[in-house]
Amino acid sequence: MISVSEALKLILEGSSALPSQIIPVENAQSFALVNDVKSDRPLPPFDRVAMDGFAVKSEDFTSETMEFKIAGQVQTGVSSKLVVGPGEAIRIMTGAPCPEGADAVVKIENATIKGKTVVLKEENMKPGLNIATKGEDTEAGKTLIRAGTPLTTAGIAVCASVGLPKVEVYQKPKIKIISTGTEIISPSESPLAHQIRDCNSFSLRSMSRSNILESRFLGIGEDDKKVLAAMIREGLESEILLLSGGVSMGEFDHIPQLLSENGVKNLFHHVRVKPGKPIWFGKTEKGTYVFGLPGNPVSVQTCYRIFVEPLIRKLSGYANPRHRFIKLPLSEQVNSKSNRDHYMPGKLVITEKETLLEPIHIRGSGDFSNFEPSQGLFLFPAEEKQLEAGTPVDFLPWREIW
Ligand code: AMP
Ligand code: MG
């Protein structure tokens, strides 16, 4: 049986970014850039006034309080030819270009206007006061965001500011989802005593939605080879197919055999991980990636986070598709007898002093109700038996941080 890191290596080395597309930048959150984004002009593009007030020559301030002649006004968005002469002040707004001749701005709160003159008080007068100098944030041509970076809100703002209303990004995979199991019924039906409501297709759709992906649910397939084979063929018409259930060793666990018969080459089956040991992964010649996820609801959500998301990031062109764990100290002692890497649910305890990770106790991978308050998973490494309170552990929040 392979380890989690061997499984991730097979997933990531066997996959590459999808083709690119050009989309409006406002829709590009979480999409990875194909090219570096560079500044097309210095930022700020001119000496920009940072306060409403009066533009003056700093050298005119021979004492803290001085009186000036008001020589005019410069508005934002208006190109002005006004020049500040000695003993003069020009009324100015935040965001306007600093008028020629001036090298400092006194804020309006420190001004007393007396008709055609103004008394300005400034204890800390110096050249450049309250002015953002042209190019002080960034010179022209500088790389602001590297290719392969998924766009955040701040990144979208940068793109817009350097004149990119559209951006070239990698396409993201489309996902098809199948739930399997003769006992599984839709939550809109009323269950008989031996039946179980489908929740996996809901958690998988919810998780793909938080990855900002399109997903489609193909329905619930009973454990019947004919039914499942037809659904699998439809599912293979996508970039990623996720199946839940039917990958263990039971007599009716047909999925591994059916996937192989339908042209999906198996890359691994069984990983030294808890929960999720029977996970199955493969790929078709056309480039559809298939995960057979063990049906327990906790296993499905954990396997998606641990194994499916890195593949999504790789196909989406992320320069760094690997997990980004956050180190957090445990709030209490935890034990695990497992000799597999164990991903346990946890939640943050935020106090004034520190942030700790509190383990959430569940009774097994079918216990999705007690699992609900979890905010992510932490790794209990295979080689450990006990982790003391305060031990730093690797935590993966449910929502990824890029
Ligand atoms: P399996 O992997 O098919 O052996 O299923 C393992 C456990 O997960 C069984 O108790 C199933 O009833 C349950 N299970 C399988 N699929 C789902 C589903 N879609 N929603 C909720 N529970 C499921
Ligand atoms: Mg089953």
Side-chain angles (χ1 to χ4, degrees):
M1 213 186 314
I2 63 171
S3 66
V4 172
S5 61
E6 286 163 331
L8 287 172
K9 201 165 170 222
L10 286 169
I11 292 170
L12 294 176
E13 287 183 359
S15 55
S16 50
L18 297 173
S20 70
Q21 59 180 346
I22 292 173
I23 59 171
V25 72
E26 65 272 27
N27 298 340
Q29 188 177 122
S30 84
F31 284 82
L33 290 162
V34 173
N35 304 303
D36 289 351
V37 169
K38 294 180 193 283
S39 49
D40 64 330
R41 56 180 189 158
L43 293 176
F46 48 81
D47 290 337
R48 190 182 59 204
V49 169
M51 289 275 184
D52 291 329
F54 284 89
V56 294
K57 287 180 180 300
S58 59
E59 66 197 24
D60 281 355
F61 268 76
T62 45
S63 72
E64 254 181 50
T65 307
M66 302 288 297
E67 187 160 2
F68 292 85
K69 178 175 163 242
I70 300 175
Q73 157 162 317
V74 176
Q75 257 177 280
T76 46
V78 176
S79 147
S80 164
K81 296 215 162 48
L82 281 180
V83 178
V84 176
E88 289 181 348
I90 285 182
R91 182 81 199 266
I92 193 97
M93 325 280 154
T94 304
C98 184
E100 222 185 297
D103 67 347
V105 169
V106 178
K107 58 183 176 189
I108 196 75
E109 293 87 336
N110 295 353
T112 313
I113 299 170
K114 298 180 169 172
K116 288 184 177 161
T117 67
V118 61
V119 175
L120 299 176
K121 184 171 183 296
E122 181 53 68
E123 290 165 21
N124 304 309
M125 178 49 69
K126 56 180 182 208
L129 183 73
N130 295 324
I131 295 170
T133 328
K134 175 177 174 176
E136 84 174 18
D137 294 344
T138 297
E139 76 262 27
K142 188 179 162 200
T143 298
L144 301 178
I145 312 176
R146 294 225 165 273
T149 306
L151 278 172
T152 57
T153 298
I156 288 171
V158 167
C159 291
S161 300
V162 302
L164 292 174
K166 290 187 175 174
V167 280
E168 187 177 4
V169 294
Y170 294 99
Q171 289 176 27
K172 295 178 84 174
K174 289 182 210 64
I175 295 191
K176 288 194 174 164
I177 296 163
I178 299 172
S179 289
T180 77
T182 303
E183 78 281 24
I184 307 299
I185 58 154
S186 159
S188 54
E189 293 169 42
S190 46
L192 301 171
H194 58 280
Q195 293 179 319
I196 297 288
R197 293 192 180 100
D198 172 30
C199 71
N200 291 340
S201 71
F202 291 83
S203 55
L204 291 173
R205 279 177 285 177
S206 167
M207 293 182 91
S208 5
R209 183 176 281 240
S210 49
N211 296 133
I212 317 185
L213 290 183
E214 278 175 50
S215 66
R216 234 188 90 210
F217 177 43
L218 301 184
I220 301 165
E222 57 184 291
D223 295 316
D224 172 275
K225 286 190 186 170
K226 254 206 185 120
V227 172
L228 291 174
M231 291 177 86
I232 285 172
R233 282 194 283 273
E234 190 185 349
L236 291 176
E237 300 295 319
S238 64
E239 282 90 28
I240 298 179
L241 169 61
L242 302 178
L243 298 118
S244 78
V247 288
S248 303
M249 296 304 193
E251 200 182 327
F252 297 100
D253 290 335
H254 304 307
I255 299 298
Q257 184 199 340
L258 290 174
L259 288 171
S260 299
E261 284 172 10
N262 284 281
V264 191
K265 183 170 173 271
N266 181 236
L267 293 171
F268 61 78
H269 187 191
H270 295 109
V271 176
R272 268 201 310 279
V273 66
K274 186 178 175 174
K277 185 170 92 172
I279 185 173
W280 192 104
F281 176 66
K283 188 184 171 184
T284 64
E285 215 146 85
K286 238 182 66 195
T288 300
Y289 299 85
V290 183
F291 284 96
L293 307 174
N296 269 314
V298 172
S299 309
V300 162
Q301 292 168 55
T302 303
C303 286
Y304 185 97
R305 188 74 179 99
I306 303 300
F307 299 104
V308 182
E309 283 191 352
L311 174 68
I312 291 171
R313 293 193 286 265
K314 183 76 189 281
L315 298 181
S316 307
Y318 286 25
N320 178 14
R322 295 191 164 272
H323 289 307
R324 308 227 279 180
F325 292 98
I326 302 171
K327 279 264 187 246
L328 283 174
L330 284 171
S331 68
E332 58 185 73
Q333 181 190 304
V334 194
N335 303 310
S336 169
K337 291 199 194 84
S338 177
N339 55 2
R340 295 173 259 155
D341 276 352
H342 191 164
Y343 287 91
M344 296 182 166
K347 68 175 184 191
L348 303 178
V349 184
I350 302 170
T351 68
E352 263 180 32
K353 268 192 7 228
E354 59 191 351
T355 302
L356 301 173
L357 188 69
E358 183 186 319
I360 305 244
H361 299 282
I362 58 170
R363 299 169 60 79
S365 51
D367 183 9
F368 54 92
S369 56
N370 288 311
F371 184 71
E372 189 278 330
S374 68
Q375 292 172 311
L377 301 166
F378 68 94
L379 172 62
F380 194 113
E383 57 281 9
E384 305 289 344
K385 289 283 163 269
Q386 187 173 78
L387 299 175
E388 301 299 330
T391 310
V393 288
D394 285 335
F395 178 64
L396 267 188
W398 283 121
R399 273 175 174 265
E400 58 183 0
I401 299 169
W402 307 313

